[in-house]
Amino acid sequence: MSIDYAAFRRELETFARQACPPEIRAVVAGGQKITKREYQAWQKILNDRGWGAPSWPVEVGGTGWDIRQRLIFEEVMAENDCPPLYHHGLGHIGPVIIRFGTPEQKARFLPRILDGSDWWCQGYSEPGSGSDLASLQTSARRDGDDWVVNGQKIWTSHAHEASMIYMLVRTSKEAKKQEGISLLLVPMDTPGITVRPIRTIDGWHHLNEVFFDEVRVRTDNLIGEEGKGWTCAKFLLERERLPPANVARLALMHRQVSALLQQAAQAAGGRRDFGVLQHKLLLCEAELQGARVMMAQATDDLIHQRPLGVQPSAIKMTCADVAQRLTTIALDAVGPEAAHRFLAEEGGEELPAATWIQNYMFTRARTIAGGTSEVQRNVIANALLGA
């Protein structure tokens, strides 16, 4: 049976306008930091409608939508100032559990991702073990029915408010680096876990150090085979760089910056020329359309189990670059007179100028997190030109 995509879009638009609470849409529309509170509330609303996991199979609570429906969903939600789906649970560890988890693990973890009960963070990076992830040193040893974890993770987004962490640990030092790594799921309230904030230039608290001191984890919280966590990690990383939400976030940011330019031009009353910024915004829009096409192709390749090649690197690099340019346009629009309002107080009243300064600072990390743009360029060059 053919799908009426226009009717599907109208259904989504009506739902977004009616179901997403105004206070949540205001946070998103204003470019403010979306917190656990907004993400979880929206996830529950989506799950109650049966739309909690657009990319998951129907048999584990997904929608069964095709590629075009999923992209339309992301677009419509962004156009209506709805929060993007929180990636760590739905886009990262959820698909890993679906692919490598046991039936008992799927029954334990997937429903709590769907309804927003569990809030996940990722324990991959370590001090001195960034781009070379396989050199990680956090260890886990067997002790009866437990794994005992010791070590440190760093740059861990949302660890201070997460209930669960999925983490790579070294369970053997005898094999090659990649072959001695396993993937564990660990409740963040387990004794022996300490979280310390890492303060960043944007003034928003999102990064942390996480320390593990004799942390005991159930053996059945191991995903996949012992020592085969690198297979899970590669599966996850391939998807980490191309969730549809990447393009949706950029489309949302484009809307926000466009609105800001209009407001700034009106406020300036013709005293400033915004034509150059409008031109830059149009160039960003063109690249967004290109990223959307790449995303559709990559998603189709995933579904049909075709090699992705350099697509994840190209999409990640493009999205990071456009995000930085969009926030630069926004910062230029608010003008140098706003610079003294460097940051809005976290948890306090958000000032439009200060919020866009924070967004500008925040996006400086987009070309680093998840694999630096320099690394992505090397991946693409090696694939196209040969090492």
Side-chain angles (χ1 to χ4, degrees), residues 35-335:
T35 67
K36 179 180 178 181
R37 178 178 58 202
E38 290 85 32
Y39 276 122
Q40 282 191 317
W42 182 230
Q43 180 61 32
K44 185 179 187 307
I45 292 169
L46 286 172
N47 190 56
D48 289 345
R49 181 61 178 80
W51 295 345
S55 62
W56 289 12
V58 173
E59 56 268 25
V60 290
T63 60
W65 289 342
D66 65 21
I67 303 166
R68 188 173 177 184
Q69 286 175 298
R70 287 159 56 184
L71 289 173
I72 291 172
F73 171 81
E74 296 288 353
E75 287 175 351
V76 170
M77 295 303 117
E79 289 167 358
N80 287 275
D81 300 324
C82 300
L85 297 175
Y86 184 65
H87 56 286
H88 277 308
L90 292 165
H92 294 181
I93 193 59
V96 171
I97 295 171
I98 292 169
R99 172 66 177 82
F100 299 100
T102 65
E104 186 272 339
Q105 289 171 334
K106 294 175 186 178
R108 278 175 59 200
F109 296 113
L110 296 183
R112 294 180 60 82
I113 294 174
L114 277 172
D115 66 15
S117 297
D118 280 336
W119 181 258
W120 290 80
C121 62
Q122 181 188 84
Y124 275 24
S125 296
E126 298 183 4
S129 198
S131 296
D132 183 15
L133 184 58
S135 66
L136 64 88
Q137 295 300 311
T138 295
S139 65
R141 69 177 190 276
R142 283 290 296 267
D143 184 16
D145 292 330
D146 292 334
W147 290 100
V148 182
V149 180
N150 286 280
Q152 177 188 358
K153 298 295 181 179
I154 198 167
W155 315 122
T156 310
S157 300
H158 305 289
H160 59 294
E161 52 189 1
S163 57
M164 296 288 299
I165 183 171
Y166 56 96
M167 58 185 299
L168 294 176
V169 294
R170 185 161 298 286
T171 50
S172 172
K173 296 183 179 179
E174 305 301 321
K176 294 180 181 178
K177 289 192 300 184
Q178 289 89 343
E179 295 176 3
I181 293 172
S182 301
L183 179 65
L184 280 179
L185 311 183
V186 184
M188 288 295 289
D189 61 358
T190 307
I193 296 179
T194 302
V195 178
R196 296 179 186 169
I198 298 175
R199 298 299 178 183
T200 51
I201 59 174
D202 56 30
W204 284 325
H205 179 194
H206 45 96
L207 296 179
N208 306 271
E209 296 177 281
V210 186
F211 299 86
F212 301 85
D213 182 13
E214 295 291 296
V215 174
R216 303 189 76 88
V217 185
R218 294 166 47 166
T219 53
D220 60 358
N221 276 23
L222 179 79
I223 299 295
E225 298 179 46
E226 178 183 344
K228 301 299 182 182
W230 194 249
T231 301
C232 300
K234 287 192 298 182
F235 180 87
L236 187 152
L237 285 170
E238 199 169 58
R239 283 148 184 80
E240 181 181 31
R241 289 172 186 158
L242 47 77
N246 263 342
V247 177
R249 286 191 183 96
L250 291 180
L252 172 61
M253 190 174 291
H254 180 277
R255 268 174 35 81
Q256 294 168 338
V257 175
S258 181
L260 176 65
L261 276 177
Q262 293 178 7
Q263 295 165 10
Q266 291 172 0
R271 294 185 303 275
R272 289 177 62 195
D273 181 7
F274 289 87
V276 173
L277 296 184
Q278 291 284 5
H279 177 70
K280 291 180 178 179
L281 195 61
L282 287 172
L283 293 178
C284 288
E285 184 174 10
E287 291 203 43
L288 280 176
Q289 293 300 325
R292 183 183 182 280
V293 172
M294 285 194 292
M295 185 70 71
Q297 180 61 56
T299 305
D300 189 61
D301 288 341
L302 275 175
I303 289 176
H304 292 93
Q305 298 184 339
R306 295 190 292 261
L308 287 174
V310 299
Q311 290 179 98
S313 292
I315 293 168
K316 194 271 180 188
M317 192 172 66
T318 299
C319 290
D321 179 61
V322 174
Q324 290 185 346
R325 283 192 283 135
L326 283 171
T327 54
T328 300
I329 294 169
L331 196 60
D332 288 342
V334 300

Side-chain angles (χ1 to χ4, degrees), residues 327-376:
T327 54
T328 300
I329 294 169
L331 196 60
D332 288 342
V334 300
E337 63 274 11
H340 68 281
R341 292 182 289 181
F342 179 53
L343 297 176
E345 291 294 329
E346 187 167 3
E349 183 180 355
E350 296 283 355
L351 300 171
T355 298
W356 278 109
I357 293 171
Q358 287 179 289
N359 274 284
Y360 173 85
M361 296 295 185
F362 177 77
T363 57
R364 297 309 94 190
R366 289 290 296 270
T367 51
I368 301 172
T372 68
S373 290
E374 290 80 4
V375 169
Q376 306 314 318

